[in-house]
Amino acid sequence: MSNPIDRRSFLARGSAAAAGLAIAGATGGMLSGRASAAQSGTTSSGKHANGISTAKPKKGGKLTFGITAEEKGFDPTTATFDTPGVQYARTVFDPLTIIDANGKVQPYLAQSVTPNPDYSVWTVTMRPNVNFHDGTPCDGAAIATNFEAQKASVLTGSALTNIDTISVTGPLVVTVTMKTPWVPFDFYLAGGIGGQVAYIAAPSMLKNSQGTSHPVGTGPFTFGEWDPNDHFTANRNPNYWRPGLPYLDSIEYRPIPDSQALLNSLLSGGVDLIQTDTSSVVKALQGNSSLSYIDDKTHLVGEPDMNCLLLNLAKPPFNNPSVRQAVAMAISSKQYATVIDQNVNPPSNGPFTKGSPYYAADGYPAFNPTKARRLIAKVAHQTGKPVSININHVPDSFDAKIGQFLQQQLSNVGIRATLTPVQQDQIINTALTGAFQAQVWTQFSATDPDLNYIFWSPTQINSAFSINMARNTDPAMETALIKGRQSADPSVRAQAYQQVSKLMAKDLPYIWTDRNVWAVASQPQVENFNNPTTPAGKPAFGLIAGVVWPGQIWLNS
């Protein structure tokens, strides 16, 4: 794929209309011992080293990290963090919490994050004597400044509308009062894809109009220089609050959007480590025993990004349930996974994967082109015209191949599909404004389903700008989502999101194809890229959606 950000992330950088989207898909977890939907077993072939080292770390050296795309900035309140952005953030900032190896959230930059009994008030207590890179204290006032800026942001504010007040209740304490109980609020504080709320910036950076190009955080590395689309370098923070970390002297990120060029850079030694979710590259990495390699095919917290066809339920022909059912039955996710993703990505039939407590096995229409053909013939008879649709996709060869596959499958049942290339800086705008019928799409990576509330809730639909881009108005969806948000009982929450899955199988706002698989691979000298620990020294969760923890990586040569 020529540009992974086109398909693999719904965050199109440079698109002002994408404001309000980036918070979704944030990686998070639960405190108070409440388990997330963690699935065990890091995928790594026996012929590969798996990024986990028990040897004594060596200090020093420079790591060169090839990433899939460039970011538009570092400010957590304005930058549209996707996978490269979160990797940048973990370099110069710290999140308030971290997910442990069991899929639960533990304190990280925060000393504790605790709710009251009904989850309507959350208290964040900071560690003492932690300073930002500019020497100012990371105290309660600084955290409140960050929360207030996030709530006021056009980028992230829509995800935080349930916050009522933010109060500094002690030198190191912030109290966040909700309008209604919000059980998985702590999921938003662990950081991840688009998880801006988690990453804490110095107030001086947030107040600086140029701050997004010069990050100031508490992280393991301090800002060195940033030459957009060429490199971003950061240097060891000599005053990092975690004793002994980081191990590297410096880290340099190089954005390489062309997936084959990214792979070649690793193979040639031009970079030491890469992240990728391009299936052809993942397959090549799996077959190369000279590299260290991991992927998230089985090692997963919550839900991954799902590949799908996004439908606009507010416009013909997809305001007709029969057309949606026919399209679902016309497209084989098994064939898609084989033809498009070389069987690297597992087929999907909903927003959750098998093994997740939120997965609902039944309901989504099975592949049945004969029945689909009959439905389309019936609709054509009722309307007096053939069923035709337009499918938008970004103009690269990989997405064009996806469009052609979908076009052929729909043609097989009597649907005339036209493919329309749309530039990456406009594809999000068309979804938000409703100027589309169907679009090739990837979305929904999250460690808790509530992180997708703004995309699935009918309350997020309006005539001009809808964050619920499929425009599914089913009131039962809101009922299930609120039940999932407000219940602390894991079994009740599981039932709520199983209901969400069943409603999607009935309403069909998305035609599912397969799930995304992210991989990270490195040269043999790179150690420990998948072996983070909590500040208490306990094992933490490693690879999540292509992102690793840079502070504990070291080089053995």
Side-chain angles (χ1 to χ4, degrees):
M1 191 172 92
S2 62
N3 193 338
I5 66 171
D6 291 343
R7 172 173 179 250
R8 302 304 191 185
S9 172
F10 69 92
L11 296 173
R13 288 176 298 280
S15 173
L21 297 183
I23 192 66
T27 297
M30 291 189 266
L31 295 176
S32 308
R34 290 174 286 117
S36 72
Q39 299 168 18
S40 63
T42 298
T43 301
S44 181
S45 168
K47 62 187 178 182
H48 293 90
N50 63 0
I52 297 175
S53 175
T54 58
K56 183 179 179 180
K58 296 180 180 179
K59 285 270 192 177
K62 174 183 176 181
L63 177 78
T64 304
F65 195 146
I67 57 176
T68 58
E70 183 58 282
E71 286 297 329
K72 65 182 291 187
F74 296 88
D75 188 334
T77 69
T78 61
T80 52
F81 288 2
D82 58 4
T83 292
V86 176
Q87 194 63 59
Y88 281 4
R90 285 187 179 178
T91 303
V92 292
F93 303 118
D94 289 309
L96 289 168
T97 57
I98 187 172
I99 302 173
D100 70 18
N102 296 315
K104 302 175 184 177
V105 164
Q106 303 297 336
Y108 195 78
L109 183 59
Q111 189 173 70
S112 65
V113 179
T114 56
N116 69 345
D118 74 351
Y119 298 87
S120 62
V121 179
W122 286 81
T123 301
V124 179
T125 302
M126 300 307 297
R127 299 177 186 276
N129 304 315
V130 175
N131 292 326
F132 292 104
H133 299 156
D134 63 2
T136 58
C138 183
D139 54 12
I143 302 307
T145 297
N146 275 261
F147 281 174
E148 292 285 6
Q150 295 284 6
K151 192 171 186 296
S153 169
V154 295
L155 181 69
T156 58
S158 62
L160 302 179
T161 56
N162 197 41
I163 291 179
D164 188 16
T165 61
I166 300 164
S167 304
V168 180
T169 51
L172 296 173
V173 182
V174 174
T175 300
V176 182
T177 302
M178 310 301 177
K179 297 174 184 176
T180 59
W182 198 353
V183 172
F185 172 67
D186 49 358
F187 271 63
Y188 291 77
L189 305 183
I193 305 307
Q196 271 87 313
V197 172
Y199 295 103
I200 303 303
S204 62
M205 174 188 167
L206 296 176
K207 296 173 183 178
N208 181 353
S209 62
Q210 302 301 313
T212 197
S213 61
H214 192 127
V216 181
T218 61
F221 296 88
T222 62
F223 177 75
E225 65 177 7
W226 181 41
D227 184 356
N229 298 307
D230 188 80
H231 68 276
F232 158 51
T233 60
N235 303 310
R236 178 194 287 130
N237 178 2
N239 301 309
Y240 192 46
W241 58 273
R242 292 194 66 180
L245 296 180
Y247 299 123
L248 299 168
D249 286 334
S250 64
I251 186 168
E252 177 178 289
Y253 293 100
R254 294 182 188 171
I256 307 175
D258 184 281
S259 58
Q260 188 59 47
L262 181 65
L263 174 61
N264 292 342
S265 293
L266 177 66
L267 297 177
S268 68
V271 300
D272 302 308
L273 181 148
I274 65 169
Q275 57 181 204
T276 183
D277 67 342
T278 300
S279 52
S280 60
V281 176
V282 172
K283 194 164 187 174
L285 294 171
Q286 290 173 341
N288 190 326
S289 60
S290 69
L291 303 171
S292 297
Y293 171 86
I294 56 170
D295 65 43
D296 64 0
K297 193 168 185 176
T298 60
H299 196 221
L300 180 68
V301 175
E303 57 185 303
D305 271 329
M306 290 293 184
N307 300 320
C308 62
L309 186 65
L310 170 68
L311 306 184
N312 185 348
L313 275 55
K315 278 188 173 184
F318 292 120
N319 59 350
N320 185 334
S322 293
V323 176
R324 303 198 298 270
Q325 291 166 9
V327 170
M329 289 186 288
I331 296 172
S332 167
S333 59
K334 185 176 181 180
Q335 292 178 26
Y336 182 99
T338 298
V339 174
I340 300 300
D341 286 317
Q342 304 180 48
N343 292 319
V344 169
N345 295 352
S348 66
N349 66 353
F352 309 111
T353 59
K354 292 180 180 179
S356 165
Y358 312 125
Y359 177 78
D362 300 322
Y364 189 78
F367 178 56
N368 191 334
T370 301
K371 189 173 181 180
R373 195 176 299 111
R374 287 199 298 264
L375 277 173
I376 291 302
K378 184 178 179 180
V379 171
H381 178 74
Q382 291 171 342
T383 61
K385 57 183 179 181
V387 176
S388 61
I389 67 171
N390 184 76
I391 300 175
N392 292 342
H393 65 87
V394 292
D396 65 44
S397 59
F398 189 85
D399 284 71
K401 182 180 179 181
I402 294 171
Q404 291 161 8
F405 173 87
L406 298 174
Q407 185 182 50
Q408 182 60 57
Q409 296 238 306
L410 295 175
S411 176
N412 291 341
V413 302
I415 298 174
R416 185 182 304 162
T418 302
L419 304 180
T420 301
V422 179
Q423 293 297 326
Q424 65 183 49
D425 61 350
Q426 291 301 315
I427 196 85
I428 305 303
N429 297 356
T430 62
L432 292 168
T433 60
F436 76 102
Q437 290 180 323
Q439 296 196 154
V440 174
W441 208 246
T442 301
Q443 198 180 345
F444 306 128
S445 175
T447 53
D448 186 90
D450 185 72
L451 295 162
N452 282 314
Y453 172 85
I454 60 173
F455 298 107
W456 296 342
S457 170
T459 66
Q460 302 297 313
I461 301 173
N462 61 60
S463 59
F465 184 98
S466 294
I467 298 175
N468 177 343
M469 290 165 280
R471 291 156 175 82
N472 182 14
T473 60
D474 189 344
M477 182 67 73
E478 182 69 11
T479 300
L481 290 171
I482 293 299
K483 186 177 181 180
R485 170 170 282 194
Q486 297 187 359
S487 176
D489 185 332
S491 64
V492 173
R493 298 195 77 235
Q495 292 170 7
Y497 291 113
Q498 288 170 15
Q499 179 65 10
V500 166
S501 186
K502 292 175 182 177
L503 289 169
M504 287 188 181
K506 175 180 70 73
D507 299 334
L508 297 172
Y510 317 101
I511 306 302
W512 307 106
T513 51
D514 62 9
R515 61 142 294 196
N516 239 18
V517 171
W518 276 96
V520 169
S522 78
Q523 294 289 343
Q525 71 270 17
V526 181
E527 300 276 6
N528 225 42
F529 62 80
N530 194 41
N531 192 29
T533 60
T534 71
K538 302 297 183 182
F541 211 96
L543 174 69
I544 297 179
V547 182
V548 295
W549 293 88
Q552 292 177 242
I553 298 175
W554 56 277
L555 301 176
N556 64 20
S557 61

